[in-house]
Amino acid sequence: MDGIPRDIPAPATANPLRELTLEQLRRRTSMKWRTYPRDVLPLWVAEMDVPLAEPVARAVRDAVALGDTGYPHGTAYAEALADFAGKRWGWDGLAVERTAIVPDVMLGIVEMLKLVSGPGDAVVVNSPVYPPFYQFVGNMDRKVVEAPLGADGRIDFEVLEDAFARVRTGAARPAYLLCSPHNPTGTVHSAQELASVAALAERYGVRVVADEIHAPVVAAGARFVPYLSVPGGGNGLSLLSASKAWNLAGIKAAVAVAGPDAADDLARLPEEVGHGPSHVGVLAHTAALRDGGAWLDALLAGLDDNRRLLADLLAESLPAVPYEPAEATFLAWLDCRALELGDDPAAVFLERGRVALNSGIPFGTGGAGFVRLNLATSPELITEAVRRMAAALDRH
């Protein structure tokens, strides 16, 4: 199953990345806008500079007006996700009876890893990768084993097989935490690559848990393929959410999905885990998936424009930083090694340019000398950020 390429006509909805002014954004009290002083331009943590999609805002307003702020209940979120998966990815295999609501994707990953691995077992990751993978896995008494991506930013299957062979010893129950689409590179794994992952996992007895939180955020022409849809993926577990695509990190909820051969594993999920998601979050995420398609299409078109803009700006002002627009996510992974700013160029850009980016170092092996830039903002702020980054070199 290759999925459906996102090649859509021009959206009817205005670009949400151009709706808020800098002064409006500075009134926000969330992490992105309050971590650094006011003179710092924040293009780091994965929050988007957008207003809420109206269907989402309406769902939240209606819940508050009704006082509908109790505990979550029912399968509406999973049903909306299954419908979205069919329309967007051509996947009709998301069975609602093999789902569970969880507090958010990372806490859902923790719960899935508890189901398929034990204390002291290894969890393989493809570095450089989302830093909380290291933090959460370590805090649950599992051991992170890196299988670094290839130079092309894609899975290196010789390296992955070597890692699988090393972690499968004795009575160990190793797992593979797959990031799909990959954060920070924005790589979209192909159906063939995912089938190869499944074959290797079967051969070495490694269970796959897939973080698919960025699945809705794909560039035009890209194809997202759900891991559970590929041959051999039936004993996998996946975590999905509307969080990234509709900027809902502050109203938490996610869905855990089991493949047909992992249903018994998911059935062992403690009942109290389902009490953790925000009920208002579940309502908001459900509304996003059901009624937020036009808003999402406008966002995706705006992100495509921003990727092209960043490529042009870097070619003009920072030509030593190579950049190919990614296939997914709203993040840009920038190789700054040729700038000779050391292992942590983000520190230089912050100190001398007053622009906040994510340092590549916490992403693990392969991250030194890189920065991650958040593209989910206005073209004007991206332009100013690159101007400041270039100016920082003159002051270094």
Side-chain angles (χ1 to χ4, degrees), residues 164-233:
F164 282 4
R166 285 187 285 114
V167 301
R168 185 60 186 179
T169 58
R173 295 194 297 153
Y176 172 44
L177 182 47
L178 171 70
C179 194
S180 179
H182 194 85
N183 176 4
T185 63
T187 302
V188 176
H189 308 300
S190 70
Q192 181 177 354
E193 287 173 321
L194 294 174
S196 296
V197 164
L200 279 180
E202 173 66 22
R203 184 182 311 164
Y204 290 97
V206 176
R207 297 299 299 277
V208 178
V209 176
D211 172 355
E212 298 182 324
I213 195 171
H214 286 279
V217 189
V218 294
R223 295 172 171 85
F224 168 74
V225 180
Y227 176 74
L228 302 185
S229 73
V230 303

Side-chain angles (χ1 to χ4, degrees), residues 3-350:
I4 298 175
R6 193 188 69 79
D7 189 10
I8 57 174
T13 303
N15 180 359
L17 296 167
R18 306 197 74 150
E19 292 189 31
L20 299 177
T21 66
L22 181 58
E23 286 308 309
Q24 287 174 309
L25 292 167
R26 281 179 171 153
R27 289 167 53 196
R28 291 184 169 183
T29 59
S30 61
M31 182 182 291
K32 182 179 182 184
W33 287 93
R34 291 302 171 99
T35 296
Y36 295 100
R38 185 179 174 87
D39 67 319
V40 172
L41 192 61
L43 270 70
W44 63 297
V45 71
E47 298 179 22
M48 296 196 291
D49 295 342
V50 293
L52 275 183
E54 178 51 33
V56 176
R58 184 168 58 249
V60 173
R61 288 195 302 265
D62 289 349
V64 171
L66 192 60
D68 188 10
T69 53
Y71 294 105
H73 174 73
T75 59
Y77 189 175
E79 292 166 12
L81 180 60
D83 186 58
F84 183 89
K87 292 177 179 176
R88 293 276 170 159
W89 308 325
W91 180 40
D92 61 3
L94 199 164
V96 173
E97 63 272 17
R98 294 198 306 271
T99 67
I101 55 171
V102 292
D104 58 28
V105 164
M106 274 312 309
L107 291 177
I109 286 170
V110 168
E111 295 297 336
M112 298 305 105
L113 289 175
K114 287 179 181 177
L115 296 175
V116 301
S117 68
D121 285 336
V123 177
V124 178
V125 303
N126 297 123
S127 60
V129 74
Y130 184 51
F133 279 16
Y134 296 92
Q135 299 158 356
F136 279 78
V137 170
N139 287 338
M140 63 180 298
D141 194 23
R142 301 314 193 257
K143 176 178 60 178
V144 174
V145 174
E146 293 183 325
L149 298 171
D152 59 356
R154 308 197 76 86
I155 296 171
D156 184 323
F157 283 95
E158 288 186 7
V159 171
L160 186 64
E161 182 169 12
D162 177 69
F164 282 4
R166 285 187 285 114
V167 301
R168 185 60 186 179
T169 58
R173 295 194 297 153
Y176 172 44
L177 182 47
L178 171 70
C179 194
S180 179
H182 194 85
N183 176 4
T185 63
T187 302
V188 176
H189 308 300
S190 70
Q192 181 177 354
E193 287 173 321
L194 294 174
S196 296
V197 164
L200 279 180
E202 173 66 22
R203 184 182 311 164
Y204 290 97
V206 176
R207 297 299 299 277
V208 178
V209 176
D211 172 355
E212 298 182 324
I213 195 171
H214 286 279
V217 189
V218 294
R223 295 172 171 85
F224 168 74
V225 180
Y227 176 74
L228 302 185
S229 73
V230 303
N235 73 340
L237 294 157
S238 171
L239 285 304
L240 295 124
S241 173
S243 173
K244 286 293 183 281
W246 284 272
N247 203 42
L248 303 177
I251 38 180
K252 290 180 176 292
V255 178
V257 185
D261 301 323
D264 290 344
D265 294 306
L266 190 61
R268 293 187 284 107
L269 185 70
E271 186 266 344
E272 62 268 18
V273 173
H275 298 169
S278 160
H279 177 50
V280 176
V282 169
L283 297 174
H285 289 232
T286 302
L289 291 163
R290 281 186 172 164
D291 303 316
W295 186 93
L296 176 62
D297 288 339
L299 170 74
L300 297 178
L303 289 173
D304 285 340
D305 290 342
N306 281 359
R307 292 185 188 100
R308 289 188 289 267
L309 172 65
L310 180 63
D312 291 343
L313 291 170
L314 290 174
E316 178 181 352
S317 300
L318 289 169
V321 178
Y323 173 66
E324 283 291 329
E327 297 175 297
T329 80
F330 49 79
L331 307 165
W333 184 238
L334 304 181
D335 182 353
C336 300
R337 289 175 293 181
L339 300 179
E340 299 183 350
L341 301 179
D343 287 346
D344 191 10
V348 177
F349 292 133
L350 177 60

